[in-house]
Amino acid sequence: MGFKLFGTFIPYYGFFILMGIVCAFTSGYFLCKKLLLNIDDFIIICAYLVSFGFVGAKILYILISINNIDFHSVFSSIENFNNFFTSGFVFYGGLIGGFLALFLVKKIHKIQIQHYIKIIAPCLALAHAFGRIGCSFAGCCYGKVTDGNIFLNIAKV
């Protein structure tokens, strides 16, 4: 599910993930300025977090779905390959990838990440909230079907 923009189909999930990343980065940018932290270091951290987050989310999806994936079909055409790599991500894999990214940023760039954690945590929650909205629009994480009787039973008590 999605919408067309200038003749290009844009899926809801991808749109809301992008909006979440933009809002999270913008919030983090202003928090860095307010807390007098280095913006360049924040940009480096964000680049690692987004990259490793997407890779981690995809790897965990592959690991939990490996029995249901027809890899011959995935590599049979560029369209199938594109569909496979643009869908199917698992949040916890992204979280694990993000933790790995923080470790690498500290090791490679010598950035003291503990100063940035107080900015990263609420930004992650903001980005994840937009992702959940995208899930709802896409219809993948909608919960269980109910007929509403549970509310009637609670009202009688």
Side-chain angles (χ1 to χ4, degrees):
M1 295 182 54
F3 60 94
K4 285 201 172 226
L5 182 66
F6 304 117
T8 302
F9 179 76
I10 302 184
Y12 287 130
Y13 183 72
F15 173 76
F16 279 102
I17 285 291
L18 179 63
M19 294 305 299
I21 290 170
V22 168
C23 289
F25 179 80
T26 304
S27 299
Y29 176 82
F30 287 115
L31 286 170
C32 272
K33 283 188 157 230
K34 182 176 182 179
L35 298 172
L36 303 174
L37 294 172
N38 188 335
I39 302 293
D40 294 334
D41 287 349
F42 179 70
I43 292 170
I44 290 170
I45 292 169
C46 286
Y48 273 80
L49 287 174
V50 170
S51 301
F52 278 71
F54 275 109
V55 170
K58 189 61 175 183
I59 289 172
L60 188 57
Y61 170 75
I62 291 170
L63 290 175
I64 64 172
S65 304
I66 198 151
N67 293 331
N68 300 326
I69 299 171
D70 179 13
F71 286 102
H72 184 268
S73 173
V74 168
F75 294 106
S76 66
S77 74
I78 193 71
E79 290 175 15
N80 289 348
F81 183 79
N82 187 38
N83 286 337
F84 177 72
F85 278 99
T86 58
S87 62
F89 295 93
V90 176
F91 173 75
Y92 293 113
L95 199 59
I96 293 166
F99 281 124
L100 179 61
L102 290 176
F103 171 76
L104 288 175
V105 164
K106 186 173 184 176
K107 185 100 171 144
I108 294 170
H109 296 280
K110 310 290 189 237
I111 297 172
Q112 299 300 317
I113 59 169
Q114 64 269 22
H115 301 298
Y116 294 90
I117 295 296
K118 57 186 158 202
I119 295 171
I120 293 168
C123 291
L124 172 65
L126 181 62
H128 183 59
F130 274 89
R132 295 300 300 189
I133 294 168
C135 281
S136 294
F137 272 91
C140 62
C141 302
Y142 52 84
K144 293 182 179 181
V145 176
T146 180
D147 60 3
N149 288 336
I150 188 169
F151 298 112
L152 296 175
N153 292 336
I154 291 172
K156 291 178 184 176
V157 174

